[in-house]
Amino acid sequence: MRYLAATTAAEAAAALAAETGLTRVLAGGTDVLVQLRSGLVEPDLVVDIKKIPGIREITAEAGGFRIGAAVSGAEIGEHTALCALWPGVTEGLQLIGSTQVQGRCTMAGNLCNGSPAGDAVPSLIAANAVARIAGPQGERDCPVAEIPSGPGKTTLKKGEIITSIFLPARPERASDAYLRFIPRTEMDIAVASAAVSLELDAGGTVKAARIALGAVAPTVVAADAAAALLVGTRLDDETLAKMARACEAVCKPIDDKRGTVAFRTKTAGTLAKRAALIAYARAGGSR
């Protein structure tokens, strides 16, 4: 195994593109090192991206924030302005692992791991977040929603790495929330999860909504039809019940030892309903 501490995104992309064997990118390492220690992978090349300028920084941009791919969960949790603007995004990331893991894990790493149960991903999709990708052909921007392609898989091409994730600006009466169900009280993988992002008008009516569901399909699912039901309402009980059913309709989970298809499906709708109420209250709404 060879190790490269890249000093530019171009250097990292070129090395990854040129390698004919198995490669891994090292940012936080909370997934890669577990894979190495357990013998699941034996990469020919590991490219460390932490030394690339700006990749460990959170930068204000166009009313939102650009988060470097190697910024840790702990650092994001300590960024007051980012947590205030996108509380659902930051709380999802901070549910990953233990306090020690938070010191290393990254938002981009959770996305690139390709798990449909990744806690950082549903809120990013609900937020319309955009990933900046560096590759052999240069840079490109891609919606986070288009990156996962299946369990453990992404749409990233050979040699491409995510260098940052952009969370856009939002109006004053807008907020989000993320909830998950786990069998244990902490340090567990979501059996089902839901992220909801809402924008309200001056009277408290929902102007725009996005919902993303995790751990209930091969990838995180954007429940667009369910979100559309919230627009023009103040989240009355009937609307929330319809929204929950619409969320259930897009679920395609599996049966395993952690949860049945029926349980995961029902839980996803319930979590979406609860997350919507939290996001609504955070945005300044009153039912």
Side-chain angles (χ1 to χ4, degrees), residues 19-269:
E19 177 57 54
T20 57
L22 185 64
T23 61
R24 283 293 184 273
V25 175
L26 180 65
T30 55
D31 288 313
V32 171
L33 292 178
V34 170
Q35 295 169 3
L36 287 171
R37 289 176 180 271
S38 62
L40 288 175
V41 297
E42 294 183 4
D44 298 281
L45 174 67
V46 173
V47 177
D48 188 340
I49 63 172
K50 292 191 294 296
K51 296 184 185 299
I52 296 173
I55 209 158
R56 299 201 61 222
E57 298 176 3
I58 301 173
T59 309
E61 181 180 319
F65 289 96
R66 183 166 298 281
I67 304 166
V71 176
S72 72
E75 290 168 323
I76 289 173
E78 292 170 356
H79 197 288
T80 305
L82 175 57
C83 291
L85 189 66
W86 289 101
V89 172
T90 57
E91 69 192 356
L93 177 64
Q94 290 174 84
L95 287 173
I96 297 172
S98 62
T99 300
Q100 293 91 335
V101 168
Q102 279 292 304
R104 301 301 302 174
C105 70
T106 68
M107 191 176 282
N110 195 241
L111 172 60
C112 291
N113 194 43
S115 170
D119 284 307
V121 183
S123 293
L124 288 172
I125 291 176
N128 265 327
V130 175
R132 179 154 293 169
I133 299 167
Q137 307 304 316
E139 282 190 341
R140 66 183 179 97
D141 287 343
C142 176
V144 165
E146 297 178 11
I147 291 178
S149 61
K153 299 178 181 179
T154 72
T155 58
L156 294 175
K157 303 181 178 106
K158 183 173 176 59
E160 288 190 328
I161 62 168
I162 293 176
T163 56
S164 66
I165 294 175
F166 177 68
L167 289 167
R170 65 194 324 181
E172 184 178 346
R173 292 175 67 81
S175 196
D176 63 332
Y178 173 77
L179 292 174
R180 69 175 183 179
F181 175 80
I182 57 174
R184 299 186 297 179
T185 57
E186 59 182 342
M187 289 192 293
D188 207 343
I189 301 169
V191 173
S193 64
V196 179
S197 179
L198 299 177
E199 179 185 335
L200 313 183
D201 66 14
T205 298
V206 177
K207 287 177 59 180
R210 281 181 62 83
I211 299 172
L213 308 174
V216 291
T219 65
V220 173
V221 178
D224 294 334
L229 294 171
L230 302 181
V231 177
T233 77
R234 298 181 65 169
L235 302 195
D236 57 276
D237 291 342
E238 183 180 354
T239 295
L240 288 173
K242 289 179 180 177
M243 182 270 289
R245 290 194 293 270
C247 285
E248 293 172 11
V250 299
C251 293
K252 297 178 181 177
I254 59 170
D255 273 317
D256 64 16
K257 63 183 180 182
R258 305 183 68 253
T260 64
V261 166
F263 179 77
R264 280 190 157 106
T265 301
K266 186 69 174 178
T267 300

Side-chain angles (χ1 to χ4, degrees), residues 91 175-179 273-283:
E91 69 192 356
S175 196
D176 63 332
Y178 173 77
L179 292 174
K273 186 162 59 174
R274 294 176 181 175
L277 289 171
I278 295 170
Y280 186 74
R282 285 175 174 172

